Amino acid sequence: MSLAEVSEWTLQAKCREMADALFPEGKDQKRARSVCMGCPVRSECLAEALDNRIEWGVWGGMTERERRHLLRTRPDIESWREVLVGRRTDVSAV
């Protein structure tokens, strides 16, 4: 994925101007997840965090712990972007 593609989806994110609020600790993470509900680029955000093994913050509605668990239970997935966003991208290319 190019830097332009990353920048494009981040500009559509509901949290684009509140990054600090998405890096809370402990129980505050669950509150931060509410920002992700209804976000038009939630899948892209989550794929970015999973593919790059980002350890901190709330990404795509998932906390650090939730992402670690998902990565442990699905080590067979090489590209979360393909799984979460790929189908949508393929359809738009047709």
Side-chain angles (χ1 to χ4, degrees):
M1 174 183 351
S2 72
L3 183 58
E5 288 175 304
V6 171
S7 295
E8 184 177 318
W9 73 258
T10 58
L11 293 174
Q12 299 172 39
K14 284 176 61 177
C15 66
R16 68 186 163 274
E17 294 180 14
M18 52 188 308
D20 291 343
L22 297 175
F23 292 91
E25 293 187 19
K27 66 180 181 178
D28 290 333
Q29 286 186 347
K30 290 185 179 181
R31 187 170 358 125
R33 291 185 333 181
S34 66
V35 173
C36 303
M37 301 306 141
C39 180
V41 291
R42 184 176 176 183
S43 296
E44 290 88 341
C45 180
L46 180 56
E48 177 78 9
L50 293 169
D51 283 340
N52 293 296
R53 306 301 195 259
I54 298 173
E55 295 185 19
W56 306 106
V58 174
W59 291 75
M62 292 185 83
T63 65
E64 303 158 11
R65 180 176 284 172
E66 291 168 332
R67 291 193 311 275
R68 281 193 303 269
H69 175 74
L70 183 57
L71 290 168
R72 275 194 312 271
T73 58
R74 294 303 309 266
D76 57 311
I77 296 179
E78 294 180 21
S79 171
W80 285 96
R81 182 165 176 75
E82 281 184 26
V83 171
L84 297 172
V85 184
R87 291 185 188 101
R88 192 171 357 149
T89 303
D90 293 343
V91 171
S92 66
V94 173

